[in-house]
Amino acid sequence: DGGITQSPKYLFRKEGQNVTLSCEQNLNHDAMYWYRQDPGQGLRLIYYSQIVNDFQKGDIAEGYSVSREKKESFPLTVTSAQKNPTAFYLCASRAPGTGGPLNNQPQHFGDGTRLSIL
Amino acid sequence: GNSVTQMEGPVTLSEEAFLTINCTYTATGYPSLFWYVQYPGEGLQLLLKATKADDKGSNKGFEATYRKETTSFHLEKGSVQVSDSAVYFCALATNTGNQFYFGTGTSLTVIP
């Protein structure tokens, strides 16, 4: 089945360490997104990419980095500069609009990665 | 700017009660509107959508109508079940760019 796969499901980071969260999709979607979700709160956009080799900062990009070398993959690196990285991270993708306005397509989400600090 | 405002939770209902979760939005242009559901420890799943004014989205007994005059997209269900316990997010996508704007989520607990 087509979908979005995030790995690992749980991840632990030591102080001063960079960690990379994986996001792979086989939906043939152009756009991909990374969100951060803190307990009891909504989603905050970290980065998004509309095409390969291009990405834009979201609302909370500081301390994070991404790459988009392949259409299927959009890994997120949480760097040591991110001082409060403990959160639930969600990856999403979106198909382009079909024969009409761009905006009629929903985002599709993976099952998330929970990152904790040791 | 663009934003979504949801009613604050948590909401607790008895099984078979009627559910309404309010959602209002601010947007430039003509957005599409969505409701997502999130079960504990999982990602968001699309519940329903509406792409133009007066459209009604429906799925699994849930409904929401795109009301442009009141800039609202309230989620309703006539008879909730214990399995509906989850967090519900209202979202909009504008007709320019590729970003989504999410509400803060409303937690629903249904008790037997």
Side-chain angles (χ1 to χ4, degrees):
Chain A
D1 286 354
I4 300 177
T5 301
Q6 289 188 242
S7 62
K9 190 167 179 66
Y10 299 96
L11 187 58
F12 299 91
R13 194 191 91 169
K14 295 181 180 178
E15 294 286 345
Q17 189 180 48
N18 293 354
V19 291
T20 298
L21 285 60
S22 170
C23 178
E24 303 279 333
Q25 55 100 358
N26 60 4
L27 299 167
N28 200 32
H29 288 173
D30 290 310
M32 296 187 74
Y33 308 78
W34 275 106
Y35 293 93
R36 170 179 172 141
Q37 186 178 27
D38 292 285
Q41 298 189 27
L43 280 66
R44 292 187 289 170
L45 182 65
I46 304 173
Y47 269 98
Y48 66 104
S49 167
Q50 300 194 58
I51 57 172
V52 173
N53 293 323
D54 186 56
F55 47 82
Q56 289 79 41
K57 292 182 179 180
D59 300 321
I60 56 164
E62 185 175 351
Y64 300 97
S65 66
V66 293
S67 62
R68 187 85 188 277
E69 297 176 1
K70 298 186 300 182
K71 188 175 186 178
E72 302 80 18
S73 178
F74 190 41
L76 173 73
T77 297
V78 184
T79 74
S80 57
Q82 172 49 244
K83 298 307 179 187
N84 184 23
T86 297
F88 190 51
Y89 291 87
L90 288 163
C91 180
S93 70
R94 188 187 191 200
T98 53
L102 176 67
N103 67 354
N104 60 346
Q105 296 298 318
Q107 289 188 348
H108 298 262
F109 285 83
D111 284 338
T113 293
R114 188 165 300 280
L115 175 62
S116 302
I117 296 300
L118 290 177
Chain B
N2 302 301
S3 66
V4 174
T5 302
Q6 280 183 244
M7 67 182 281
E8 298 211 0
V11 174
T12 302
L13 295 173
S14 296
E15 204 166 22
E16 298 183 1
F18 184 85
L19 169 71
T20 300
I21 301 178
N22 290 340
C23 172
T24 57
Y25 68 89
T26 302
T28 54
Y30 304 95
S32 287
L33 301 172
F34 306 86
W35 276 101
Y36 284 85
V37 59
Q38 184 180 34
Y39 298 100
E42 298 183 7
L44 276 66
Q45 301 175 25
L46 177 67
L47 183 58
L48 53 84
K49 72 175 186 180
T51 58
K52 61 183 187 296
D54 300 325
D55 267 2
K56 177 185 282 188
S58 62
N59 186 27
K60 300 180 181 179
F62 291 89
E63 293 183 340
T65 301
Y66 187 162
R67 301 285 189 200
K68 190 169 175 63
E69 63 276 13
T70 55
T71 62
S72 65
F73 193 53
H74 305 321
L75 182 68
E76 297 182 335
K77 186 175 186 183
S79 176
V80 293
Q81 306 301 312
V82 173
S83 58
D84 293 328
S85 298
V87 179
Y88 293 82
F89 290 91
C90 185
L92 73 82
T94 63
N95 59 350
T96 58
N98 221 339
Q99 288 196 45
F100 268 52
Y101 298 86
F102 288 87
T104 53
T106 301
S107 175
L108 169 68
T109 301
V110 180
I111 54 178

